[in-house]
Structures are given as structure tokens and as C-alpha cells.
Amino acid sequence: MRKCDVVFSENYSYSLEDAYAKIFECVDENGILCIQDFPDDECEIEGYISCRLKFDEKSKLNALKEFKSIKENIISLAHLAGDDGKLHICELNACPEKIKDVFYTYIENLDVGTDDFDGIDRLHNKWLNDLSFENFTAEEMKFMENYRNTEVKDAEKRIGANFCAFEVIRRAQRYFRLLTLEAPKIVCDNEEYLMLKAFIIHSFAVSFEKIA
């Protein structure tokens, strides 16, 4: 099975168009794309994703155009954000509708289904201490599962209930935050690629499974 890996280095990074083309070059004659999985909550990558894509040249070109527009609007939003990475409502309201639509679709925090933000922060900090869920109680794991499931449902409501909807939103939010932090270009490029990969899967996948 042909596997797709796009590697960024300090000496070279792909253009958006090159990365997009390279992903589709890895699609075999049966429409199967085998691509490296996304980093997990511990920033580790385990295995690959195998998915069947259904597309034609017109839909492929339209999707690239749509993604480029989303990316450009995220960059515009990042330029408006303050040092804390947040947008003031007055600045957002002054933006063109297409930029506001991108904010409310891709950048605004997802619904977590709870007002217990202190509990979320506590569990997040607990995970950061060990970079592991090993010491989490069953009740804590259930709490995290519930709010993550709510996030996934909100992501699917925003952009459509297909594979990787949550991953598209999460990567867009991370890309926005990295831009506001003025992170190194290679870091932003890598996050842009992860967002692109999720966007392609969400746009075209009709089957999806994780493999070793």
C-alpha cells in the first residue's frame, strides 16, 4: 500500500499547491489514500489513516480554492488579534462577512457542553503534568469523553458530519493561534498541512479507518 508522508524541514517547505498535489498523487487506482495519522493529545503519531476518496477534477479544484480562502481569512483574523490571541468584538464586527463567517465557523471555541471550565482546566493541567491519562479516574475520563463528544458534534454542525470534522476545526484553531504567536514559519507550515490533510479527508472521504 502506497503511503503518503509530506516532510517539512528548515531548508524546504512545500507550497500549499504542492502539498495538495502530493496528497492526491498518493491516491491509488481504487481511490484509497493511506496517509500518516494526526498527532494525538500527547503529540505522538501512531500509524496511518486509510480512506477511500471520491472526487473529480472539478471538485478537487473547487476544494483547493475553498481551502485557500479559509486560510487567507484565518491569516487576516490573526493580524487583527491582540497579543493574547483574542479578537475584540468591535474589530470582528468591522470585518467583511466572509471573514466573520470563518471566525464563527473555524476559530470560535467549540461547545463543550458544560460550564465547569475549572474542571476542564484542572484535568488539562493534570494531563500536562504526566502527558498521560494513566492516573485519571474513571469519572474523570467520563467527564473528558463527554465534553470531547460535544465538541465533535459542534464541529460536525458547523462544517458537516463527515470524517475529521473535529480535526479540521482543531487544526484551524491551532493554525490561528500559531500565527498570533508569530511562531516560526516551519511550525505554521506544518500546522497548515495538518489542517489541509483533515480538510481533504472531510471533503472527499467515503470510508475511514486507522491502521498500523
Side-chain angles (χ1 to χ4, degrees), residues 81-134:
D83 293 338
D84 59 357
K86 297 181 179 179
L87 288 163
H88 296 293
I89 190 65
C90 56
E91 293 177 331
L92 184 61
N93 286 338
C95 290
E97 286 300 317
K98 64 179 183 179
I99 293 181
K100 286 193 284 188
D101 286 346
V102 166
F103 173 81
Y104 288 117
T105 302
Y106 295 94
I107 307 304
E108 187 176 41
N109 289 335
L110 290 165
D111 180 18
V112 295
T114 178
D115 293 328
D116 187 7
F117 298 110
D118 289 339
I120 293 175
D121 288 341
R122 179 179 58 80
L123 293 180
H124 179 66
N125 290 330
K126 182 175 181 178
W127 176 82
L128 286 175
N129 286 334
D130 300 328
L131 294 181
S132 170
F133 296 110
E134 184 177 348

Short mmCIF file of all heavy atoms in Angstrom, two decimals, residues 81-134:
data_model
loop_
_atom_site.label_atom_id
_atom_site.label_comp_id
_atom_site.label_asym_id
_atom_site.label_seq_id
_atom_site.Cartn_x
_atom_site.Cartn_y
_atom_site.Cartn_z
N ALA A 81 -5.81 40.12 15.72
CA ALA A 81 -5.82 39.67 17.12
C ALA A 81 -4.80 40.43 17.96
O ALA A 81 -3.76 40.87 17.47
CB ALA A 81 -5.55 38.18 17.19
N GLY A 82 -5.13 40.55 19.24
CA GLY A 82 -4.19 41.19 20.16
C GLY A 82 -3.10 40.23 20.59
O GLY A 82 -3.01 39.09 20.13
N ASP A 83 -2.24 40.70 21.50
CA ASP A 83 -1.12 39.88 21.97
C ASP A 83 -1.60 38.62 22.68
O ASP A 83 -0.86 37.63 22.76
CB ASP A 83 -0.23 40.69 22.91
CG ASP A 83 0.49 41.82 22.19
OD1 ASP A 83 0.62 41.73 20.95
OD2 ASP A 83 0.87 42.80 22.86
N ASP A 84 -2.82 38.64 23.19
CA ASP A 84 -3.37 37.48 23.89
C ASP A 84 -4.03 36.50 22.92
O ASP A 84 -4.59 35.48 23.33
CB ASP A 84 -4.37 37.89 24.96
CG ASP A 84 -5.54 38.70 24.38
OD1 ASP A 84 -5.53 38.97 23.16
OD2 ASP A 84 -6.45 39.05 25.15
N GLY A 85 -3.97 36.80 21.61
CA GLY A 85 -4.54 35.91 20.60
C GLY A 85 -6.04 36.03 20.47
O GLY A 85 -6.67 35.24 19.77
N LYS A 86 -6.63 37.05 21.12
CA LYS A 86 -8.07 37.22 21.09
C LYS A 86 -8.47 38.40 20.21
O LYS A 86 -7.73 39.36 20.05
CB LYS A 86 -8.62 37.40 22.50
CG LYS A 86 -8.40 36.19 23.40
CD LYS A 86 -8.99 36.40 24.78
CE LYS A 86 -8.79 35.18 25.67
NZ LYS A 86 -9.34 35.38 27.03
N LEU A 87 -9.66 38.31 19.64
CA LEU A 87 -10.21 39.36 18.81
C LEU A 87 -11.24 40.17 19.59
O LEU A 87 -12.09 39.59 20.27
CB LEU A 87 -10.88 38.77 17.57
CG LEU A 87 -9.94 38.20 16.51
CD1 LEU A 87 -10.72 37.29 15.56
CD2 LEU A 87 -9.27 39.30 15.73
N HIS A 88 -11.15 41.49 19.51
CA HIS A 88 -12.16 42.33 20.14
C HIS A 88 -13.39 42.34 19.24
O HIS A 88 -13.29 42.39 18.02
CB HIS A 88 -11.63 43.74 20.35
CG HIS A 88 -10.48 43.80 21.30
ND1 HIS A 88 -10.62 43.53 22.64
CD2 HIS A 88 -9.17 44.09 21.10
CE1 HIS A 88 -9.45 43.66 23.25
NE2 HIS A 88 -8.54 43.99 22.33
N ILE A 89 -14.56 42.31 19.86
CA ILE A 89 -15.81 42.18 19.11
C ILE A 89 -16.00 43.33 18.13
O ILE A 89 -16.53 43.14 17.03
CB ILE A 89 -17.00 42.07 20.08
CG1 ILE A 89 -18.28 41.68 19.31
CG2 ILE A 89 -17.19 43.36 20.86
CD1 ILE A 89 -18.22 40.31 18.70
N CYS A 90 -15.53 44.53 18.49
CA CYS A 90 -15.70 45.67 17.60
C CYS A 90 -14.88 45.49 16.33
O CYS A 90 -15.32 45.85 15.23
CB CYS A 90 -15.34 46.98 18.30
SG CYS A 90 -13.68 47.03 18.98
N GLU A 91 -13.67 44.93 16.46
CA GLU A 91 -12.83 44.68 15.29
C GLU A 91 -13.44 43.58 14.43
O GLU A 91 -13.42 43.67 13.19
CB GLU A 91 -11.42 44.30 15.73
CG GLU A 91 -10.65 45.43 16.40
CD GLU A 91 -9.29 44.98 16.90
OE1 GLU A 91 -9.15 43.78 17.22
OE2 GLU A 91 -8.38 45.81 16.96
N LEU A 92 -13.97 42.55 15.07
CA LEU A 92 -14.58 41.45 14.33
C LEU A 92 -15.81 41.93 13.56
O LEU A 92 -16.00 41.58 12.40
CB LEU A 92 -14.96 40.32 15.29
CG LEU A 92 -15.53 39.06 14.64
CD1 LEU A 92 -14.53 38.43 13.69
CD2 LEU A 92 -15.93 38.05 15.71
N ASN A 93 -16.63 42.76 14.21
CA ASN A 93 -17.84 43.25 13.56
C ASN A 93 -17.54 44.13 12.37
O ASN A 93 -18.38 44.27 11.47
CB ASN A 93 -18.71 44.02 14.57
CG ASN A 93 -19.40 43.09 15.56
OD1 ASN A 93 -19.57 41.91 15.29
ND2 ASN A 93 -19.77 43.63 16.71
N ALA A 94 -16.36 44.73 12.35
CA ALA A 94 -15.97 45.60 11.24
C ALA A 94 -15.44 44.81 10.04
O ALA A 94 -15.22 45.38 8.97
CB ALA A 94 -14.92 46.61 11.70
N CYS A 95 -15.24 43.51 10.22
CA CYS A 95 -14.68 42.67 9.15
C CYS A 95 -15.75 42.37 8.10
O CYS A 95 -16.95 42.35 8.39
CB CYS A 95 -14.17 41.35 9.72
SG CYS A 95 -12.71 41.48 10.73
N PRO A 96 -15.32 42.10 6.86
CA PRO A 96 -16.26 41.61 5.85
C PRO A 96 -16.93 40.32 6.31
O PRO A 96 -16.38 39.58 7.13
CB PRO A 96 -15.35 41.36 4.63
CG PRO A 96 -14.15 42.22 4.85
CD PRO A 96 -13.95 42.25 6.34
N GLU A 97 -18.11 40.06 5.76
CA GLU A 97 -18.89 38.90 6.19
C GLU A 97 -18.13 37.59 6.03
O GLU A 97 -18.23 36.69 6.87
CB GLU A 97 -20.21 38.83 5.41
CG GLU A 97 -21.24 39.86 5.85
CD GLU A 97 -21.63 39.73 7.32
OE1 GLU A 97 -21.82 38.58 7.77
OE2 GLU A 97 -21.73 40.76 8.00
N LYS A 98 -17.36 37.43 4.95
CA LYS A 98 -16.67 36.16 4.72
C LYS A 98 -15.62 35.90 5.79
O LYS A 98 -15.38 34.75 6.17
CB LYS A 98 -16.03 36.14 3.33
CG LYS A 98 -14.94 37.16 3.09
CD LYS A 98 -14.36 37.02 1.69
CE LYS A 98 -13.20 37.98 1.46
NZ LYS A 98 -12.62 37.83 0.10
N ILE A 99 -15.01 36.97 6.31
CA ILE A 99 -14.02 36.80 7.38
C ILE A 99 -14.72 36.47 8.69
O ILE A 99 -14.28 35.60 9.45
CB ILE A 99 -13.14 38.07 7.52
CG1 ILE A 99 -12.28 38.24 6.26
CG2 ILE A 99 -12.26 37.97 8.76
CD1 ILE A 99 -11.37 39.45 6.31
N LYS A 100 -15.84 37.14 8.97
CA LYS A 100 -16.61 36.81 10.17
C LYS A 100 -17.12 35.38 10.12
O LYS A 100 -17.11 34.67 11.13
CB LYS A 100 -17.78 37.79 10.33
CG LYS A 100 -17.36 39.17 10.79
CD LYS A 100 -18.55 40.00 11.23
CE LYS A 100 -19.34 40.51 10.06
NZ LYS A 100 -20.38 41.48 10.48
N ASP A 101 -17.55 34.94 8.95
CA ASP A 101 -18.03 33.56 8.81
C ASP A 101 -16.93 32.56 9.14
O ASP A 101 -17.19 31.53 9.79
CB ASP A 101 -18.52 33.32 7.38
CG ASP A 101 -19.86 34.00 7.11
OD1 ASP A 101 -20.52 34.41 8.07
OD2 ASP A 101 -20.22 34.11 5.92
N VAL A 102 -15.71 32.84 8.70
CA VAL A 102 -14.59 31.95 9.00
C VAL A 102 -14.31 31.93 10.50
O VAL A 102 -14.05 30.87 11.09
CB VAL A 102 -13.33 32.36 8.21
CG1 VAL A 102 -12.08 31.66 8.76
CG2 VAL A 102 -13.50 32.01 6.73
N PHE A 103 -14.41 33.07 11.15
CA PHE A 103 -14.18 33.10 12.60
C PHE A 103 -15.20 32.23 13.31
O PHE A 103 -14.84 31.37 14.13
CB PHE A 103 -14.26 34.53 13.14
CG PHE A 103 -14.21 34.58 14.64
CD1 PHE A 103 -12.99 34.50 15.30
CD2 PHE A 103 -15.36 34.68 15.39
CE1 PHE A 103 -12.93 34.50 16.69
CE2 PHE A 103 -15.32 34.69 16.78
CZ PHE A 103 -14.10 34.60 17.42
N TYR A 104 -16.49 32.45 13.04
CA TYR A 104 -17.53 31.73 13.77
C TYR A 104 -17.59 30.25 13.39
O TYR A 104 -18.06 29.43 14.19
CB TYR A 104 -18.88 32.40 13.54
CG TYR A 104 -19.00 33.72 14.25
CD1 TYR A 104 -19.17 34.91 13.53
CD2 TYR A 104 -18.93 33.80 15.64
CE1 TYR A 104 -19.27 36.13 14.19
CE2 TYR A 104 -19.02 35.01 16.30
CZ TYR A 104 -19.19 36.17 15.57
OH TYR A 104 -19.27 37.38 16.23
N THR A 105 -17.08 29.91 12.21
CA THR A 105 -17.08 28.50 11.79
C THR A 105 -15.84 27.76 12.27
O THR A 105 -15.95 26.64 12.79
CB THR A 105 -17.16 28.40 10.26
OG1 THR A 105 -18.34 29.07 9.80
CG2 THR A 105 -17.20 26.94 9.82
N TYR A 106 -14.68 28.38 12.15
CA TYR A 106 -13.42 27.66 12.36
C TYR A 106 -12.64 28.07 13.62
O TYR A 106 -11.88 27.25 14.15
CB TYR A 106 -12.51 27.82 11.15
CG TYR A 106 -13.05 27.19 9.90
CD1 TYR A 106 -13.80 27.92 8.98
CD2 TYR A 106 -12.85 25.84 9.64
CE1 TYR A 106 -14.32 27.34 7.83
CE2 TYR A 106 -13.36 25.25 8.49
CZ TYR A 106 -14.09 26.00 7.60
OH TYR A 106 -14.61 25.40 6.47
N ILE A 107 -12.80 29.30 14.07
CA ILE A 107 -11.92 29.80 15.13
C ILE A 107 -12.60 29.89 16.49
O ILE A 107 -11.98 29.63 17.52
CB ILE A 107 -11.35 31.19 14.74
CG1 ILE A 107 -10.68 31.12 13.37
CG2 ILE A 107 -10.37 31.67 15.81
CD1 ILE A 107 -9.58 30.07 13.26
N GLU A 108 -13.87 30.25 16.52
CA GLU A 108 -14.57 30.36 17.80
C GLU A 108 -14.54 29.02 18.53
O GLU A 108 -14.62 27.96 17.92
CB GLU A 108 -16.03 30.78 17.57
CG GLU A 108 -16.75 31.07 18.88
CD GLU A 108 -18.16 31.58 18.64
OE1 GLU A 108 -18.84 31.04 17.74
OE2 GLU A 108 -18.59 32.50 19.35
N ASN A 109 -14.38 29.08 19.85
CA ASN A 109 -14.30 27.86 20.64
C ASN A 109 -15.51 26.96 20.41
O ASN A 109 -16.64 27.44 20.29
CB ASN A 109 -14.22 28.20 22.13
CG ASN A 109 -12.88 28.81 22.51
OD1 ASN A 109 -11.88 28.59 21.84
ND2 ASN A 109 -12.87 29.59 23.58
N LEU A 110 -15.25 25.67 20.37
CA LEU A 110 -16.32 24.70 20.22
C LEU A 110 -17.11 24.57 21.52
O LEU A 110 -16.56 24.76 22.61
CB LEU A 110 -15.75 23.34 19.82
CG LEU A 110 -15.17 23.24 18.41
CD1 LEU A 110 -14.31 21.99 18.27
CD2 LEU A 110 -16.29 23.23 17.36
N ASP A 111 -18.36 24.21 21.38
CA ASP A 111 -19.21 23.95 22.54
C ASP A 111 -18.70 22.70 23.26
O ASP A 111 -18.46 21.67 22.63
CB ASP A 111 -20.65 23.74 22.08
CG ASP A 111 -21.61 23.46 23.22
OD1 ASP A 111 -21.25 23.76 24.38
OD2 ASP A 111 -22.70 22.93 22.95
N VAL A 112 -18.51 22.80 24.58
CA VAL A 112 -18.03 21.65 25.35
C VAL A 112 -19.13 21.03 26.20
O VAL A 112 -18.90 20.06 26.92
CB VAL A 112 -16.82 22.03 26.25
CG1 VAL A 112 -15.63 22.41 25.40
CG2 VAL A 112 -17.19 23.15 27.22
N GLY A 113 -20.33 21.61 26.16
CA GLY A 113 -21.46 21.00 26.85
C GLY A 113 -21.43 21.10 28.36
O GLY A 113 -22.14 20.37 29.06
N THR A 114 -20.61 22.00 28.91
CA THR A 114 -20.53 22.15 30.36
C THR A 114 -20.07 23.56 30.69
O THR A 114 -19.36 24.20 29.89
CB THR A 114 -19.57 21.13 30.99
OG1 THR A 114 -19.50 21.35 32.41
CG2 THR A 114 -18.17 21.25 30.41
N ASP A 115 -20.47 24.03 31.88
CA ASP A 115 -19.97 25.32 32.37
C ASP A 115 -18.81 25.13 33.34
O ASP A 115 -18.30 26.11 33.90
CB ASP A 115 -21.10 26.09 33.08
CG ASP A 115 -22.20 26.51 32.10
OD1 ASP A 115 -21.87 26.77 30.93
OD2 ASP A 115 -23.37 26.57 32.53
N ASP A 116 -18.43 23.89 33.55
CA ASP A 116 -17.36 23.59 34.52
C ASP A 116 -16.00 23.76 33.84
O ASP A 116 -15.26 22.79 33.63
CB ASP A 116 -17.52 22.16 35.06
CG ASP A 116 -16.54 21.86 36.19
OD1 ASP A 116 -15.83 22.80 36.62
OD2 ASP A 116 -16.48 20.69 36.61
N PHE A 117 -15.67 24.99 33.51
CA PHE A 117 -14.40 25.25 32.84
C PHE A 117 -13.22 25.05 33.79
O PHE A 117 -12.12 24.70 33.36
CB PHE A 117 -14.39 26.66 32.26
CG PHE A 117 -15.45 26.87 31.20
CD1 PHE A 117 -16.54 27.68 31.45
CD2 PHE A 117 -15.36 26.23 29.97
CE1 PHE A 117 -17.52 27.86 30.50
CE2 PHE A 117 -16.33 26.40 29.01
CZ PHE A 117 -17.42 27.23 29.27
N ASP A 118 -13.46 25.25 35.09
CA ASP A 118 -12.40 24.98 36.06
C ASP A 118 -12.05 23.50 36.06
O ASP A 118 -10.88 23.12 36.16
CB ASP A 118 -12.84 25.40 37.47
CG ASP A 118 -12.91 26.91 37.63
OD1 ASP A 118 -12.26 27.62 36.83
OD2 ASP A 118 -13.61 27.38 38.55
N GLY A 119 -13.09 22.66 35.93
CA GLY A 119 -12.84 21.22 35.87
C GLY A 119 -12.06 20.82 34.63
O GLY A 119 -11.16 19.98 34.69
N ILE A 120 -12.38 21.45 33.50
CA ILE A 120 -11.64 21.17 32.26
C ILE A 120 -10.19 21.59 32.42
O ILE A 120 -9.26 20.85 32.06
CB ILE A 120 -12.30 21.90 31.08
CG1 ILE A 120 -13.68 21.30 30.80
CG2 ILE A 120 -11.41 21.81 29.84
CD1 ILE A 120 -14.45 22.04 29.72
N ASP A 121 -9.97 22.80 32.98
CA ASP A 121 -8.59 23.29 33.18
C ASP A 121 -7.83 22.38 34.13
O ASP A 121 -6.65 22.09 33.92
CB ASP A 121 -8.61 24.72 33.74
CG ASP A 121 -9.04 25.74 32.70
OD1 ASP A 121 -8.97 25.42 31.49
OD2 ASP A 121 -9.43 26.86 33.09
N ARG A 122 -8.50 21.92 35.18
CA ARG A 122 -7.82 21.05 36.16
C ARG A 122 -7.37 19.75 35.50
O ARG A 122 -6.24 19.30 35.70
CB ARG A 122 -8.77 20.76 37.33
CG ARG A 122 -8.18 19.83 38.39
CD ARG A 122 -9.16 19.61 39.53
NE ARG A 122 -10.41 19.04 39.09
CZ ARG A 122 -10.57 17.74 38.83
NH1 ARG A 122 -9.54 16.89 38.95
NH2 ARG A 122 -11.74 17.27 38.43
N LEU A 123 -8.26 19.15 34.71
CA LEU A 123 -7.91 17.89 34.06
C LEU A 123 -6.84 18.11 32.98
O LEU A 123 -5.97 17.25 32.78
CB LEU A 123 -9.15 17.24 33.46
CG LEU A 123 -10.19 16.76 34.48
CD1 LEU A 123 -11.37 16.12 33.77
CD2 LEU A 123 -9.56 15.76 35.45
N HIS A 124 -6.94 19.25 32.30
CA HIS A 124 -5.92 19.55 31.29
C HIS A 124 -4.55 19.69 31.95
O HIS A 124 -3.55 19.15 31.45
CB HIS A 124 -6.28 20.84 30.55
CG HIS A 124 -5.28 21.25 29.51
ND1 HIS A 124 -5.05 20.51 28.36
CD2 HIS A 124 -4.44 22.30 29.45
CE1 HIS A 124 -4.12 21.09 27.63
NE2 HIS A 124 -3.73 22.18 28.27
N ASN A 125 -4.49 20.39 33.07
CA ASN A 125 -3.22 20.56 33.79
C ASN A 125 -2.72 19.22 34.34
O ASN A 125 -1.51 18.97 34.37
CB ASN A 125 -3.38 21.57 34.92
CG ASN A 125 -3.57 22.98 34.41
OD1 ASN A 125 -3.07 23.33 33.33
ND2 ASN A 125 -4.29 23.80 35.15
N LYS A 126 -3.64 18.39 34.78
CA LYS A 126 -3.26 17.06 35.27
C LYS A 126 -2.62 16.25 34.15
O LYS A 126 -1.61 15.56 34.36
CB LYS A 126 -4.49 16.33 35.82
CG LYS A 126 -4.21 14.95 36.40
CD LYS A 126 -5.46 14.33 37.03
CE LYS A 126 -5.17 12.97 37.62
NZ LYS A 126 -6.36 12.37 38.28
N TRP A 127 -3.21 16.36 32.96
CA TRP A 127 -2.63 15.64 31.82
C TRP A 127 -1.26 16.21 31.47
O TRP A 127 -0.31 15.46 31.17
CB TRP A 127 -3.56 15.75 30.60
CG TRP A 127 -2.97 15.14 29.38
CD1 TRP A 127 -2.98 13.82 29.05
CD2 TRP A 127 -2.27 15.80 28.34
NE1 TRP A 127 -2.31 13.63 27.86
CE2 TRP A 127 -1.86 14.83 27.41
CE3 TRP A 127 -1.93 17.14 28.12
CZ2 TRP A 127 -1.15 15.15 26.26
CZ3 TRP A 127 -1.22 17.46 26.98
CH2 TRP A 127 -0.84 16.48 26.07
N LEU A 128 -1.10 17.54 31.53
CA LEU A 128 0.17 18.16 31.20
C LEU A 128 1.29 17.72 32.15
O LEU A 128 2.45 17.63 31.75
CB LEU A 128 0.05 19.69 31.22
CG LEU A 128 -0.69 20.34 30.06
CD1 LEU A 128 -0.83 21.84 30.31
CD2 LEU A 128 0.05 20.08 28.74
N ASN A 129 0.93 17.43 33.39
CA ASN A 129 1.94 17.01 34.37
C ASN A 129 2.57 15.68 34.00
O ASN A 129 3.77 15.47 34.21
CB ASN A 129 1.32 16.91 35.77
CG ASN A 129 1.05 18.27 36.38
OD1 ASN A 129 1.70 19.26 36.03
ND2 ASN A 129 0.08 18.34 37.27
N ASP A 130 1.76 14.76 33.47
CA ASP A 130 2.25 13.40 33.16
C ASP A 130 2.30 13.10 31.67
O ASP A 130 2.92 12.11 31.26
CB ASP A 130 1.34 12.35 33.82
CG ASP A 130 1.29 12.48 35.34
OD1 ASP A 130 2.31 12.89 35.91
OD2 ASP A 130 0.23 12.19 35.91
N LEU A 131 1.63 13.94 30.85
CA LEU A 131 1.46 13.64 29.42
C LEU A 131 0.90 12.22 29.24
O LEU A 131 1.30 11.48 28.35
CB LEU A 131 2.78 13.81 28.65
CG LEU A 131 3.33 15.23 28.57
CD1 LEU A 131 4.62 15.26 27.77
CD2 LEU A 131 2.31 16.19 27.97
N SER A 132 -0.02 11.90 30.12
CA SER A 132 -0.61 10.56 30.11
C SER A 132 -1.95 10.60 30.83
O SER A 132 -2.17 11.42 31.72
CB SER A 132 0.32 9.55 30.80
OG SER A 132 -0.33 8.31 30.99
N PHE A 133 -2.85 9.68 30.45
CA PHE A 133 -4.15 9.56 31.12
C PHE A 133 -4.13 8.43 32.15
O PHE A 133 -5.16 8.08 32.71
CB PHE A 133 -5.25 9.28 30.09
CG PHE A 133 -5.46 10.40 29.12
CD1 PHE A 133 -5.11 10.27 27.79
CD2 PHE A 133 -6.02 11.60 29.55
CE1 PHE A 133 -5.31 11.31 26.90
CE2 PHE A 133 -6.23 12.64 28.65
CZ PHE A 133 -5.87 12.49 27.32
N GLU A 134 -2.95 7.88 32.42
CA GLU A 134 -2.84 6.71 33.28
C GLU A 134 -3.40 6.95 34.68
O GLU A 134 -4.00 6.06 35.28
CB GLU A 134 -1.37 6.29 33.38
CG GLU A 134 -1.14 5.02 34.17
CD GLU A 134 0.33 4.59 34.19
OE1 GLU A 134 1.11 5.15 33.41
OE2 GLU A 134 0.65 3.69 34.99
#
